[in-house]
Amino acid sequence: MTGAPASAAGGPSQAGATGTAGASGTETGAKSARSGKIAAAAVDQASLWNIANLLTMLRLLLVPGFVALMLADGGYDPAWRSFAWAAFAVAMITDLFDGHLARTYNLVTDFGKIADPIADKAIMGAALICLSSLGDLPWWVTGIILGRELGITLLRFVVIRYGVIPASRGGKLKTLAQGIAVGMYILALTGWLATARFWVMAVAVALTVATGLDYVKQAIVLRRQGIAEREAALEETEA
């Protein structure tokens, strides 16, 4: 047989095919990687518009609308007050669901972490200030509730380097009591209902003060533990 070996005869063409296939595979891999990055970026961008964040945004948008309804026609018209109560109720209901949805379906975002507490305090603060400005609620009640909320928020930021103060059952009960009490004051109630709302607000104020003191206690303990752990770690490093 005088023919060249098959391997020799097909060597160059096979090498060329292999090189072409390798280059093609590299290009395909690069395109896939770019497509994956683009898809991931699209997901990250779209994650801002999840249902939990949309509910938080709705609550923020309800604040100016609530104020306008609350103060319409001098602020004492029962019909306008009913509409204001409806806006307040929607805000409170969305407050119950947005955090739960974010945690359950992994929809937690940086926007939600910042906007959710702002929305909570904005609608409650707007309601309390409107009620006090209209003379329906004493200013000292508004001062206690808003002072507690702002104070605890600042306290959380101060001790965040040592850890996070978890929300307690008392805090959740406080929020519920505040929502019910403020909602009852928004409505133009008379008779025994007007008396009942006074006692509901008294319970809300008591829970506000009690849970506030409990958070302060937790913050002190958390700070002491954090300082002790840092000192222990420093001693180990020096040793």
Side-chain angles (χ1 to χ4, degrees), residues 26-189:
T26 302
E27 291 181 8
T28 303
K31 290 180 180 179
S32 298
R34 286 194 297 270
S35 299
K37 290 180 180 179
I38 293 173
V43 170
D44 289 341
Q45 292 174 0
S47 65
L48 174 65
W49 302 100
N50 63 60
I51 184 63
N53 284 346
L54 289 175
L55 289 176
T56 300
M57 294 176 193
L58 173 63
R59 206 154 69 253
L60 286 169
L61 293 174
L62 281 172
V63 175
F66 165 79
V67 173
L69 292 170
M70 190 71 184
L71 301 179
D73 198 15
Y76 297 103
D77 185 271
W80 287 115
R81 293 284 284 260
S82 296
F83 289 128
W85 176 86
F88 181 80
V90 170
M92 290 293 100
I93 291 171
T94 57
D95 181 29
L96 295 176
F97 284 105
D98 60 354
H100 174 73
L101 289 172
R103 291 186 297 270
T104 302
Y105 297 101
N106 195 26
L107 301 176
V108 178
T109 62
D110 291 336
F111 171 81
K113 293 177 183 178
I114 297 172
D116 183 64
I118 292 176
D120 298 344
K121 291 168 179 57
I123 189 66
M124 182 60 69
L128 290 168
I129 292 173
C130 285
L131 289 170
S132 292
S133 64
L134 292 171
D136 293 338
L137 189 69
W139 276 106
W140 64 266
V141 174
T142 296
I144 288 176
I145 295 177
L146 293 185
R148 185 268 190 199
E149 298 301 328
L150 294 176
I152 296 303
T153 299
L154 292 175
L155 187 63
R156 287 179 183 273
F157 281 112
V158 170
V159 301
I160 196 170
R161 68 183 71 177
Y162 306 110
V164 177
I165 303 176
S168 63
R169 289 184 179 180
K172 294 177 181 179
L173 184 60
K174 175 269 306 179
T175 301
L176 178 62
Q178 284 182 359
I180 295 174
V182 171
M184 293 178 73
Y185 269 88
I186 292 173
L187 290 171
L189 300 179

Side-chain angles (χ1 to χ4, degrees), residues 14 50 56 105 193 210 215 227:
Q14 287 178 351
N50 63 60
T56 300
Y105 297 101
L193 288 174
Y215 278 125
I227 292 174

